[in-house]
């Protein structure tokens, strides 16, 4: 009996070591608006493309770290950041409790465009977020995620153009960077970096709000660079 047990332990030892080296799937939850969901133009209408930033990001991460990396897309077209902390009737939701129940190891946060749009038009029935209110909510999200042992990465929105430019997204981008500094979390630079390309508007959908698939891939590359440089040791532990 003892010989049989010893043989079983010797046989299973490599498997136990392998399990220790690969402690399961590393889940990244991406929260955001239609640019997270992947809305882009196709023909004369907008669709949700499978070739979006989140799908490109997962592909890049898996190429480097293996298939134990999963990026879940929680993007909602039309959403502003307050959808994560308030119900439609304006009663508060418990973000911290949501994070406690979440299986995610890392949280990505990408809002600002709809926040600016709704504030500009003062849409009736919508929660109006000034840049300062936006900052307060982003701070709440970061603190709630960190309190539940989630890694947090903030993502700047892409710039917008045409008539949409008057919505003035920049004050929200500024406040997002302020939260990153105050809460000491990484932020993916997109807004000004994209504008450095003089021809950046050619990489947008006709509505001048959503990127085309090429720009989504560029956005994913910048997010990938931040994740791989900041959290390489963590991601490497989940390599398959």
């Amino acid at each position: 009996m003892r010989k049989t047990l010893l043989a079983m332990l010797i046989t299973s030892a490599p498997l136990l070591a392998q399990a220790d080296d690969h402690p399961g799937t590393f889940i990244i939850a991406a929260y955001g608006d239609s640019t997270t969901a992947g809305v882009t133009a196709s023909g004369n209408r907008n669709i949700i493309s499978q070739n979006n930033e989140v799908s490109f990001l997962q592909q890049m991460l898996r190429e480097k770290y293996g298939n134990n990396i999963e990026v879940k897309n929680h993007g909602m077209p039309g959403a502003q950041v307050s959808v994560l902390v308030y119900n439609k009737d304006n009663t508060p939701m418990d973000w911290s409790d949501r994070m406690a129940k979440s299986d995610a190891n890392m949280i990505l946060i990408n809002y600002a465009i709809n926040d600016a749009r709704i504030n500009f038009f003062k849409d009736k029935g919508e929660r109006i977020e000034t840049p300062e209110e936006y900052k307060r909510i982003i701070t709440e999200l970061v603190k709630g995620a960190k309190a539940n042992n989630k890694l947090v990465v903030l993502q700047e929105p892409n710039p917008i153009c045409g008539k949409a430019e008057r919505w003035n997204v920049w004050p929200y981008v500024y406040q997002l960077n302020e939260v990153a500094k105050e809460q000491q979390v990484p932020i993916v630079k997109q807004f000004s970096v994209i504008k450095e390309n003089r021809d950046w508007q050619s990489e947008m959908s006709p509505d001048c709000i959503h990127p085309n698939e090429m720009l989504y891939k560029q956005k994913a590359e910048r997010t990938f660079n931040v994740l791989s440089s900041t959290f390489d040791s963590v991601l490497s532990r989940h390599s398959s």
Side-chain angles (χ1 to χ4, degrees), residues 112-141:
I113 294 175
N114 292 303
D115 311 74
R117 174 181 61 82
I118 291 171
N119 184 53
F120 177 81
F121 287 110
K122 301 295 188 290
D123 290 350
K124 292 182 179 180
E126 299 286 353
R127 185 177 179 84
I128 307 300
E129 294 173 18
T130 63
E132 292 72 25
E133 172 68 357
Y134 169 85
K135 179 187 179 184
R136 183 191 69 79
I137 295 174
I138 292 287
T139 301
E140 179 181 341
L141 296 179

Side-chain angles (χ1 to χ4, degrees), residues 29-47:
Y31 291 90
D33 54 27
S34 56
T35 63
T36 294
V39 172
T40 193
S42 177
N44 296 319
R45 63 191 182 95
N46 282 349
I47 63 166

Side-chain angles (χ1 to χ4, degrees), residues 109-216:
I109 300 174
N110 171 32
Y111 297 89
I113 294 175
N114 292 303
D115 311 74
R117 174 181 61 82
I118 291 171
N119 184 53
F120 177 81
F121 287 110
K122 301 295 188 290
D123 290 350
K124 292 182 179 180
E126 299 286 353
R127 185 177 179 84
I128 307 300
E129 294 173 18
T130 63
E132 292 72 25
E133 172 68 357
Y134 169 85
K135 179 187 179 184
R136 183 191 69 79
I137 295 174
I138 292 287
T139 301
E140 179 181 341
L141 296 179
V142 173
K143 287 183 175 180
K146 290 170 68 175
N148 286 282
N149 302 311
K150 314 296 185 186
L151 301 173
V152 182
V153 177
L154 302 179
Q155 298 171 287
E156 289 184 359
N158 54 263
I160 55 180
C161 48
K163 291 183 179 180
E165 196 169 6
R166 61 184 174 151
W167 301 347
N168 195 14
V169 176
W170 168 247
Y172 295 84
V173 177
Y174 175 82
Q175 295 292 359
L176 191 68
N177 278 271
E178 288 296 293
V179 175
K181 286 187 290 186
E182 292 170 5
Q183 298 301 317
Q184 298 184 327
V185 295
I187 185 166
V188 183
K189 302 288 188 177
Q190 301 281 10
F191 191 85
S192 297
V193 174
I194 291 172
K195 281 191 168 185
E196 289 175 0
N197 175 10
R198 293 182 180 181
D199 197 33
W200 69 271
Q201 295 183 20
S202 68
E203 298 178 337
M204 299 289 288
S205 293
D207 63 11
C208 242
I209 299 169
H210 302 97
N212 64 21
E213 291 180 355
M214 182 182 299
L215 185 54
Y216 273 131

Side-chain angles (χ1 to χ4, degrees), residues 30 35-38 48-63 69-73 108 213 216-217 220-221:
T35 63
T36 294
I48 294 180
S49 172
Q50 296 300 311
N51 296 320
N52 55 64
E53 180 185 355
V54 172
S55 62
F56 283 128
L57 176 62
Q58 176 168 279
Q59 179 182 342
M60 294 170 190
L61 289 168
R62 286 185 170 181
E63 285 176 358
I69 308 298
E70 180 181 358
V71 188
K72 295 184 177 181
N73 195 330
L108 305 183
E213 291 180 355
Y216 273 131
K217 187 172 185 179
E221 287 171 348

